[in-house]
Amino acid sequence: MTPKEFTSFASFYPYYLGEHQNSTCRRLHFVGSAGVLSLLCFALITSQWHWLYGLPLLGYGFAWLGHFVFEKNKPATFRYPLYSLMGDWVMFKDMLVGKVKF
């Protein structure tokens, strides 16, 4: 699919889920997102703002490991950065509420 085909996040999200068929990849996304939230809270509570530099490394590091090693595909971030970031958090929420399997 080309970027022109996605005119909304609602049309993108099914594609995004299709790029996350491997359970280990999804779990790594979840761990990375939970780590981002934890590190963000830590930085806010302690006022140690330098930790915020680690947020992209933590979030994308786990996700990209899942894609390259387990899913064997290229992360959607490279073609659809904003929709992909949104998809990460919607999938995180969907995993928490049981809509998407761990």
Side-chain angles (χ1 to χ4, degrees):
M1 293 187 156
T2 63
K4 293 179 269 206
E5 294 182 52
F6 299 118
T7 57
S8 69
F9 178 73
S11 67
F12 172 78
Y13 192 57
Y15 164 79
Y16 181 84
L17 290 177
E19 295 291 297
H20 297 85
Q21 304 254 337
N22 182 280
S23 61
T24 303
C25 180
R26 286 192 308 273
R27 290 172 186 152
L28 285 168
H29 271 267
F30 189 87
V31 168
S33 295
V36 163
L37 292 175
S38 299
L39 187 57
L40 179 60
C41 287
F42 175 79
L44 291 171
I45 290 168
T46 64
S47 297
Q48 294 183 29
W49 309 118
H50 63 277
W51 286 104
L52 297 177
Y53 290 114
L55 294 179
L57 180 64
L58 187 59
Y60 287 118
F62 278 92
W64 290 356
L65 176 68
H67 283 284
F68 292 126
V69 175
F70 298 99
E71 194 74 54
K72 307 268 193 249
N73 65 11
K74 189 192 280 189
T77 303
F78 297 142
R79 289 185 67 193
Y80 314 101
L82 181 58
Y83 280 161
S84 180
L85 180 61
M86 293 167 62
D88 284 341
W89 292 107
V90 173
M91 187 172 72
F92 181 80
K93 184 263 308 172
D94 286 347
M95 291 175 78
L96 278 175
V97 300
K99 272 179 84 175
V100 172
K101 291 173 68 172
F102 270 91

